[in-house]
Amino acid sequence: MASSVSLISEHITESPKFPRVAASTESTPSRSNTRESALTRRRRHYAPVWIVLVLLLPCIALTIYYARYGLSGPLLPDSILPSPSYALVLFLVYLDGVGLVALTLLLSRNLIRAFFEKRNRLLGSGFRSKLVASFIGFALIPTVLLALVASGVISEVIDVWFSDQVMHVLRDSEDVAHLYQQERESLASDTARVISKEIFREDILKPEHRELLKSMLARMQHEYHLAGVEVFSTKLETLARMMDPALSDAVLSLPVGQLVLQVLDKGEAYSSAQEAPVGKLIRAAAPIKGSGRTEHVRGVVVVSSYVPESLLRKMDAIAKQFDEYRQIKSMKDPIKGGAYLFVAGVTVLILFGATWFGFYVARGITVPIQRLAEGTEAIAQGNLDIHIDVKATDEIGILVQSFNRMTTDLRMNKSRLEEMNLSLLQSNIEIDQRRAYTEAVVETIAAGVLSIDMAGVVTRFNPSGERILGVRGDELRGQPVYEAFKQFHLYLFQKAYDQMLVEQTDSLSMEGQMETPNGRLLTLGLSISRMQNEAGHDLGFVFVFEDRTEFIKAQKTAAWQEVAQRIAHEIKNPLTPIQLSAQRLRKKFYEKSTGFEEIFDQATKVIINEVTSLKVMVDEFSKYARMPLPNMSRQSLHDIIQKVLLLYTGGHRDVEFILQLAEELPDLNCDPEQMRRVFVNLFDNAIQAIDDRGKIWVTTEVDWRRHRAVVRVADDGMGIQTDDHKKLFVPYFSKKRTGTGLGLAIVHRIISDHNGAIHAENNHPQGAVFRFDLPL
């Protein structure tokens, strides 16, 4: 016992806290070897238990058998051992006790091991101890109570079995059987004497009295219920014989001569019991004495009384049971000890079953949990090559499978993360390079760049912006956008930013003049765009602007040069016929040519017509060059359209004006005279395009998202050629013979002065559409 406890203690104290972490990372053959070794250890652990059980159970069975049925030989009242088999039974009881003690010690190994595991605080030992203690506790209380009750019942039963009352009953039964046999023999002897006296008194032994003798014997047989009555002479001759016809000849033919001779020799009555093939025959013989003093024997009367086989068997059984009971009673203490050992063995087996079942259930729970804890510890240490190989089919099995899947996923995710990490490192390098490149571009680009985050704070302002606006970047960066714009009078930026927020568009472009903080008047081209990441989330706004002052000057110079060239060309065209007419008129005047009056009239008409054309052209140019600034006021755009249409409805009857005006259009801030001139020019172009016969559509609508009023003027005329789209709004571009090319240029300028935009496109299926929008 002490050696087993020390071995278990050494095994527990030497085992590490997580002994199977390294084993779980080995290959499949090593795990199979581990399972085989664990199975071999388990078999070796339970082999002594099964050996003791195999030896103990037959030994208990032999003890009970020999104590009950194996006794033989007579009882020895004066000896220490009551019978020869008593020593064998005591030896078997001793073996039972030794086997029971050995089984208890073997079964207690697991409990001792669990105790040391809990003391050393091994993983899972506490739960295992509680579970085993619960099973043992639940089994111990009813088992001990049952053992106590069974022991008491066994003690009471054995005391009842071997009580003195049973002994007295069996002894009295045996005495009754003997008394019965003696009574039958005594009755047979008395009957024989009575018959012999009757024969003597009647003196009917003479040959002449044979019939009378037979009659008397028949009467006596019937009166005393005898199996047979016989009368013999001194020469052993049968003088008369009366037998019960119900009995077989095998019973009645038993020899009787010896009994007769004994009576003849002694002259006294004798009785005997003869075993018949079936039953027993009790015979009694009495002498028939003669008259006289000598009283010599004249004959013998033999009376037979039959004892049935059933009665004999009962008598023999009573005798046998009494003898066996005396022998068994001498084994009372060994039998009681064997019964107690049997109850103890059953109790130990029940406790063993509860303990084994508790360890089995605990092992089915704690072993997977221990493996999970070991695997979790290994994962916490960074080892993901963990695979728990535990057989379990319940929720623990599902947990183990989930853990294995988790480790597999973690291992795969780790490899993916490593790949993604490398990719991210490469991407970060590329992003850093791109950021450096972008910053270099932003820092060196000629245009100014100003960015605003979602909180409305200025985050970037490049050196070109500092140079253009004359504001240092340190003064702008980190300030709220409205305060920065107000402080440095960046009203054009404020206007573009507000319009961007109101219209919720992705980009916006505008151009305008602005005075810088240092007093310079600049013409800026400004573009504002919404910054978004790859996921589509807003990051803020970026302003890109450039100084177009010199560009506008150069553009204006180029435009005026082109206008001068066009004016020179347009003036040159009428000057040629004027010159030719004047030269012709001068020539004819000096030649004193006949028909001079007619020539004079033709020449002067040509000169007048061409001078008139020059005057119209000069007037149109003067109007375009001297257009005043718009005088803004709140006006109804629909009223302006209706007033202009009144000028055309009477003079152009073959032109159908179709109006589609939006009722929700509010009043606009505009110059009514300039807007009237816009519609007049657009309607004139449309009427000329349809050759004064067709349809003209006038449509208005409201774009609430952009806060703009949209106007369309469409016709079903010839449409716009592809090459003419870029030249429509250029001064002095006209496809008409009598046109000056300034009408659409004036319209474009008026719409631009009203902060609007205009463009033209072909109508479907035919015609052209001029579309312009104005702020609400």
Side-chain angles (χ1 to χ4, degrees):
M1 180 71 181
S3 60
S4 61
V5 172
S6 61
L7 288 175
I8 294 172
S9 177
E10 291 176 1
H11 171 73
I12 295 173
T13 54
E14 290 176 1
S15 60
K17 185 176 182 181
F18 300 101
R20 296 185 179 269
V21 173
S24 61
T25 60
E26 296 177 357
S27 60
T28 302
S30 62
R31 287 197 296 268
S32 62
N33 294 333
T34 303
R35 291 196 302 269
E36 292 177 358
S37 61
L39 183 60
T40 303
R41 289 196 301 270
R42 193 177 300 116
R43 290 177 179 175
R44 291 178 181 177
H45 177 75
Y46 288 111
V49 177
W50 295 116
I51 293 174
V52 173
L53 282 176
V54 169
L55 296 177
L56 179 61
L57 294 178
C59 188
I60 293 177
L62 289 175
T63 303
I64 297 175
Y65 176 79
Y66 279 107
R68 179 66 180 86
Y69 303 104
L71 295 176
S72 62
L75 295 178
L76 304 175
D78 298 333
S79 178
I80 297 177
L81 298 176
S83 66
S85 301
Y86 193 86
L88 177 61
V89 175
L90 289 180
F91 179 71
L92 292 175
V93 171
Y94 173 76
L95 292 180
D96 295 339
V98 173
L100 188 62
V101 172
L103 182 62
T104 305
L105 292 177
L106 290 174
L107 297 180
S108 63
R109 290 184 302 172
N110 288 331
L111 298 177
I112 297 172
R113 181 178 179 181
F115 170 76
F116 282 104
E117 287 180 351
K118 184 177 181 181
R119 190 178 69 176
N120 292 331
R121 297 183 179 180
L122 289 184
L123 186 63
S125 60
F127 178 77
R128 186 187 301 113
S129 300
K130 292 179 181 178
L131 191 60
V132 173
S134 300
F135 276 98
I136 295 176
F138 286 133
L140 182 61
I141 297 175
T143 303
V144 171
L145 292 177
L146 181 62
L148 294 176
V149 173
S151 300
V153 171
I154 289 173
S155 178
E156 292 294 332
V157 170
I158 291 177
D159 290 339
V160 170
W161 284 355
F162 300 109
S163 64
D164 294 336
Q165 295 178 356
V166 176
M167 187 69 177
H168 292 320
V169 170
L170 292 177
R171 183 182 293 110
D172 292 342
S173 299
E174 187 180 22
D175 293 341
V176 168
H178 287 295
L179 290 174
Y180 176 78
Q181 186 173 352
Q182 292 174 3
E183 184 182 358
R184 292 295 295 268
E185 291 179 359
S186 176
L187 182 61
S189 299
D190 292 341
T191 303
R193 291 188 184 97
V194 170
I195 295 174
S196 66
K197 290 179 180 180
E198 186 70 21
I199 293 173
F200 173 76
R201 187 176 59 250
E202 296 291 338
D203 193 18
I204 56 176
L205 288 178
K206 295 178 181 180
E208 59 272 16
H209 298 148
R210 292 284 189 272
E211 294 299 329
L212 183 61
L213 179 62
K214 291 181 180 180
S215 177
M216 187 191 66
L217 293 180
R219 179 173 56 80
M220 291 292 179
Q221 178 192 4
H222 183 267
E223 183 179 352
Y224 292 103
H225 303 287
L226 300 176
V229 180
E230 298 174 277
V231 178
F232 295 92
S233 65
T234 54
K235 296 180 181 181
L236 299 180
E237 294 177 353
T238 304
L239 299 179
R241 187 179 183 216
M242 287 295 168
M243 296 293 176
D244 187 358
L247 297 177
S248 63
D249 293 339
V251 175
L252 298 176
S253 62
L254 292 176
V256 73
Q258 187 68 29
L259 182 63
V260 174
L261 289 176
Q262 190 175 3
V263 172
L264 290 174
D265 290 339
K266 301 294 183 181
E268 297 177 357
Y270 285 93
S271 65
S272 66
Q274 292 180 321
E275 298 291 337
V278 179
K280 180 184 287 188
L281 197 63
I282 298 176
R283 284 177 168 176
I288 302 173
K289 295 183 179 181
S291 61
R293 296 178 180 178
T294 56
E295 295 184 359
H296 63 279
V297 177
R298 297 175 59 190
V300 178
V301 177
V302 179
V303 176
S304 299
S305 177
Y306 177 71
V307 179
E309 179 68 22
S310 60
L311 184 58
L312 289 177
R313 283 199 300 269
K314 291 179 180 179
M315 295 171 63
D316 292 339
I318 290 172
K320 185 178 179 180
Q321 289 177 0
F322 179 66
D323 187 61
E324 290 179 354
Y325 182 77
R326 286 187 302 168
Q327 294 181 3
I328 294 174
K329 187 176 182 181
S330 65
M331 302 293 294
K332 176 182 178 181
D333 294 335
I335 291 175
K336 184 182 288 187
Y340 288 156
L341 286 176
F342 179 76
V343 173
V346 172
T347 303
V348 171
L349 289 178
I350 293 174
L351 295 178
F352 162 68
T355 305
W356 178 84
F357 188 71
F359 276 105
Y360 176 79
V361 174
R363 184 170 61 251
I365 298 175
T366 57
V367 170
I369 292 177
Q370 183 177 0
R371 300 296 183 272
L372 287 172
E374 295 168 359
T376 305
E377 182 68 17
I379 291 176
Q381 295 176 0
N383 183 11
L384 298 180
D385 296 329
I386 299 296
H387 182 80
I388 298 177
D389 191 3
V390 176
K391 292 183 179 179
T393 58
D394 50 5
E395 290 79 3
I396 300 296
I398 297 175
L399 181 61
V400 171
Q401 294 176 2
S402 301
F403 181 85
N404 290 332
R405 287 197 299 269
M406 181 193 69
T407 55
T408 303
D409 294 341
L410 286 176
R411 188 164 54 252
M412 296 175 62
N413 292 334
K414 180 181 178 182
S415 61
R416 293 175 182 173
L417 286 175
E418 291 176 351
E419 295 176 358
M420 292 177 63
N421 189 23
L422 295 176
S423 177
L424 287 175
L425 290 176
Q426 185 65 28
S427 299
N428 289 334
I429 294 174
E430 295 178 356
I431 291 173
D432 291 339
Q433 294 176 352
R434 192 178 304 170
R435 182 184 296 110
Y437 176 77
T438 303
E439 291 179 354
V441 170
V442 170
E443 294 296 327
T444 57
I445 192 173
V449 177
L450 184 145
S451 61
I452 303 172
D453 60 12
M454 292 300 298
V457 177
V458 178
T459 57
R460 179 177 293 278
F461 190 60
N462 67 339
S464 297
E466 296 178 359
R467 176 180 51 80
I468 295 174
L469 298 180
V471 179
R472 291 187 304 170
D474 297 337
E475 297 177 351
L476 279 179
R477 282 190 289 268
Q479 292 192 18
V481 59
Y482 289 108
E483 295 181 5
F485 289 165
K486 182 177 180 181
Q487 179 181 357
F488 297 101
H489 309 290
L490 304 179
Y491 300 114
L492 184 63
F493 288 76
Q494 182 69 54
K495 179 180 179 182
Y497 184 61
D498 292 339
Q499 185 174 346
M500 188 76 172
L501 294 178
V502 171
E503 296 180 0
Q504 294 294 319
T505 57
D506 294 333
S507 60
L508 178 67
S509 298
M510 64 171 53
E511 183 177 291
Q513 290 184 341
M514 187 187 72
E515 185 176 357
T516 63
N518 54 13
R520 291 176 56 203
L521 183 63
L522 300 178
T523 301
L524 295 180
L526 178 63
S527 296
I528 179 173
S529 299
R530 190 184 302 272
M531 293 187 296
Q532 294 179 341
N533 57 14
E534 295 180 355
H537 298 153
D538 290 338
L539 300 179
F541 301 91
V542 59
F543 293 83
V544 179
F545 55 94
E546 58 181 349
D547 184 5
R548 294 186 178 180
T549 304
E550 300 298 328
F551 175 75
I552 294 298
K553 290 182 180 179
Q555 189 177 26
K556 288 182 178 180
T557 301
W560 282 112
Q561 289 179 354
E562 183 179 359
V563 169
Q565 292 176 359
R566 287 179 177 271
I567 291 175
H569 178 73
E570 295 295 333
I571 292 176
K572 184 178 180 180
N573 289 334
L575 288 179
T576 300
I578 291 174
Q579 182 180 4
L580 292 175
S581 297
Q583 290 177 353
R584 181 183 179 191
L585 183 61
R586 181 182 177 80
K587 180 180 179 182
K588 296 298 182 179
F589 177 76
Y590 286 113
E591 290 178 353
K592 304 294 185 179
S593 174
T594 58
F596 178 75
E597 294 180 358
E598 181 180 358
I599 293 172
F600 180 81
D601 182 59
Q602 293 177 354
T604 53
K605 286 182 178 180
V606 170
I607 292 171
I608 292 172
N609 290 333
E610 295 299 332
V611 170
T612 302
S613 177
L614 284 173
K615 184 179 180 181
V616 172
M617 181 182 63
V618 172
D619 289 340
E620 289 293 329
F621 177 75
S622 177
K623 291 179 181 180
Y624 177 74
R626 293 185 292 103
M627 284 188 63
L629 293 175
N631 185 15
M632 299 293 190
S633 63
R634 302 295 294 182
Q635 299 290 334
S636 173
L637 189 63
H638 292 170
D639 292 342
I640 296 173
I641 295 173
Q642 295 288 353
K643 291 178 181 179
V644 173
L645 287 178
L646 291 177
L647 303 175
Y648 292 91
T649 53
H652 303 277
R653 296 182 179 181
D654 294 332
V655 177
E656 181 183 0
F657 287 91
I658 301 174
L659 299 181
Q660 297 177 353
L661 305 179
E663 297 180 357
E664 66 274 14
L665 181 66
D667 293 344
L668 302 180
N669 192 26
C670 63
D671 187 333
E673 184 62 27
Q674 291 189 4
M675 292 305 301
R676 186 189 66 80
R677 190 171 182 183
V678 167
F679 287 107
V680 167
N681 286 324
L682 292 178
F683 290 165
D684 286 341
N685 284 343
I687 291 173
Q688 292 178 4
I690 61 177
D691 198 12
D692 210 7
R693 182 183 298 273
K695 295 180 180 181
I696 297 176
W697 291 270
V698 181
T699 306
T700 62
E701 63 181 26
V702 180
D703 188 352
W704 294 109
R705 187 179 67 86
R706 299 174 54 242
H707 292 269
R708 312 287 282 186
V710 181
V711 182
R712 293 184 180 87
V713 178
D715 60 68
D716 56 355
M718 296 296 294
I720 304 172
Q721 296 182 3
T722 305
D723 297 338
D724 297 339
H725 274 283
K726 298 180 180 180
K727 303 177 182 179
L728 286 176
F729 302 106
V730 177
Y732 297 101
F733 173 77
S734 177
K735 301 290 287 186
K736 298 178 291 185
R737 294 179 180 178
T738 59
T740 61
L742 294 175
L744 290 180
I746 294 172
V747 170
H748 181 272
R749 181 168 179 178
I750 293 174
I751 296 299
S752 298
D753 290 342
H754 283 74
N755 294 324
I758 185 171
H759 67 277
E761 59 187 15
N762 286 322
N763 193 17
H764 296 285
Q766 65 179 7
V769 178
F770 286 87
R771 176 185 179 278
F772 66 90
D773 54 17
L774 299 172
L776 292 179

